Amino acid sequence: MIERILVVDCDYHSLTFARQALEEAGYDVLTAGDGEGGLRAALSERPDLIVLNGVLVAGQDSLYRWLGENPRTADIPVILLTPGSEVEEGWLADDHLLHPFDAEQLLEKVRRLTVEASRRGTPISTGNSALDEALRGGIPVGSLTLIEGEASSGKSALARQVIWEALQSGLILTLFTNEDSAQSLVGQMRRVGLNVLDYLLRGQISVYPLNLGRLRAHALQTLLHAMKWGIRRKVTVVDSLSAAVAHSSPEETRGFFEECKALCQGGSTVIVTLHSYHATPDLLDAIQPLCDVHLRLHPNDARGASAAAVEVCQAGRNPAAIGTTVTLDLEPEAAPLTVPVARGSETRPNGRRMAG
């Protein structure tokens, strides 16, 4: 989904025209009048699309080159505004628009890139080759996934593995977690060999501790508001939704999943874990049709606490996989890892805390 667009143009009149056309169409528009300002805005705001004047492309130190080489901006699509009647060799942007242009031409380019982006999303691996095969590559980008299971069945372990794979793929992610801090997440993932600290410090993942039980009847709406606030972060993981569902009616829970599905249709990927106690047959009948992927975890009686059995209850890309069960390895926990946090400060490396 393309919502925030950065226009970088040293021609004031062209920049103003493009900004007005995009804002009138409902887009959130950032602007910069030179390459240095454009680079700062691209790195700090990470827009969904960049409209760039071709004058800023030429040269070894051009903005176009820096955008392509920086991992935070390399995957952002670019529309080049070309000053001539032909596209020069080496201008391998996602699309081009010749000067002069009208508003509808620009909007058509943006709409085309939105459709292409939704089609070419690579699935997010689950970290388990057998499960990836059943899901035809992993969790589809732009999908709604429910991970369900009893306590200690491995729901969070599977969610953490998907988080790790998403981060390694360069995706920007938000995690709403029952853990009391980002420090706890870092420690838990480090104990199983997943060093997420670097991603936290780079801002690629934001972590928000949950206390949905205290919010009671307001839990689902508060969580949904927070998820929409971070919609540009492409992947959202909620671990776990159980406390919110415990204080909500089946209709309210279905409404929450409908809103999540709407976010997915806009290009976001949403992954939710839920305790099986709350996943009653009536609730599953209501929400399962909204889910692209539904995985149910069971203790693996043959291997005990070191593994879980994952049953595929819904697999959007491969209906034939429904009913398939694969084994998920769960690494034993070692001693906790302590990550230093500055005393006397409310600021955490993941950014803001969610109210409640």
Side-chain angles (χ1 to χ4, degrees):
M1 182 65 172
I2 293 177
E3 293 187 340
R4 172 172 285 191
I5 300 175
L6 171 62
V7 180
V8 187
D9 198 334
C10 53
D11 182 330
Y12 174 78
H13 297 290
S14 174
L15 183 148
T16 302
F17 179 77
R19 175 180 59 78
Q20 290 176 343
L22 293 168
E23 286 181 340
E24 288 175 2
Y27 294 100
D28 182 10
V29 182
L30 307 167
T31 61
D34 56 35
E36 184 178 349
L39 182 59
R40 285 199 306 268
L43 290 172
S44 62
E45 301 294 336
R46 205 178 183 283
D48 303 309
L49 171 68
I50 297 173
V51 178
L52 175 62
N53 192 316
V55 173
L56 301 171
V57 172
Q60 289 296 311
D61 294 324
S62 71
L63 172 61
Y64 189 53
R65 175 173 172 264
W66 285 110
L67 290 172
E69 292 181 352
N70 192 299
R72 276 187 62 80
T73 58
D75 63 336
I76 301 177
V78 175
I79 296 176
L80 279 182
L81 305 178
T82 60
S85 60
E86 296 182 356
V87 177
E88 294 187 14
E89 184 178 357
W91 287 15
L92 302 178
D94 296 86
D95 210 334
H96 302 81
L97 188 60
L98 301 180
H99 272 298
F101 60 91
D102 61 36
E104 186 54 38
Q105 287 176 320
L106 175 58
L107 294 174
E108 178 58 33
K109 299 289 186 181
V110 174
R111 287 191 287 266
R112 187 188 69 78
L113 288 176
T114 300
V115 173
E116 287 190 1
S118 65
R119 288 176 176 172
R120 67 174 179 245
T122 302
I124 304 170
S125 173
T126 64
N128 181 293
S129 58
L131 186 54
D132 282 351
E133 183 177 352
L135 298 177
R136 289 189 175 172
I139 305 294
V141 171
S143 68
L144 174 58
T145 294
L146 173 63
I147 301 175
E148 171 215 337
E150 298 177 3
S152 303
S153 63
K155 300 186 299 297
S156 294
L158 178 55
R160 288 195 294 267
Q161 186 63 51
V162 173
I163 289 170
W164 176 250
E165 298 291 342
L167 292 174
Q168 288 193 305
S169 298
L171 296 172
I172 310 297
L173 187 144
T174 299
L175 169 64
F176 297 95
T177 174
N178 289 335
E179 298 300 323
D180 59 2
S181 67
Q183 179 181 359
S184 299
L185 174 74
V186 171
Q188 286 204 0
M189 296 189 74
R190 185 67 176 271
R191 287 196 292 270
V192 294
L194 309 180
N195 187 3
V196 75
L197 181 58
D198 288 345
Y199 296 103
L200 275 166
L201 296 177
R202 291 202 299 266
Q204 193 173 331
I205 175 173
S206 293
V207 182
Y208 297 90
L210 287 172
N211 194 337
L212 294 179
R214 196 173 78 179
L215 294 172
R216 302 178 70 83
H218 302 288
L220 288 179
Q221 284 303 313
T222 302
L223 175 58
L224 188 62
H225 177 76
M227 291 170 65
K228 289 182 176 180
W229 178 78
I231 189 164
R232 293 187 184 87
R233 300 188 68 84
K234 302 309 178 190
V235 180
T236 299
V237 178
V238 180
D239 183 28
S240 153
L241 195 65
S242 298
V245 172
H247 293 98
S248 304
S249 68
E251 292 75 18
E252 290 170 331
T253 302
R254 177 183 170 81
F256 173 83
F257 275 84
E258 288 175 341
E259 292 286 350
C260 288
K261 185 65 175 179
L263 295 181
C264 295
Q265 290 171 344
S268 294
T269 303
V270 179
I271 300 168
V272 176
T273 70
L274 181 66
H275 194 292
S276 292
Y277 176 82
H278 301 289
T280 62
D282 287 345
L283 180 59
L284 287 179
D285 285 344
I287 65 175
Q288 191 174 53
L290 298 169
C291 298
D292 301 283
V293 175
H294 175 198
L295 305 175
R296 179 177 293 133
L297 277 69
H298 308 275
N300 189 314
D301 296 333
R303 295 180 55 183
S306 65
V310 184
E311 177 188 357
V312 180
C313 302
Q314 189 90 338
R317 292 187 175 186
N318 187 20
I322 295 176
T324 300
T325 300
V326 302
T327 299
L328 174 70
D329 288 321
L330 305 176
E331 295 289 342
E333 294 189 354
L337 172 73
T338 301
V339 179
V341 176
R343 295 182 180 276
S345 172
E346 292 299 322
T347 302
R348 300 180 182 272
N350 56 294
R352 307 181 201 175
R353 292 189 60 177
M354 175 181 163

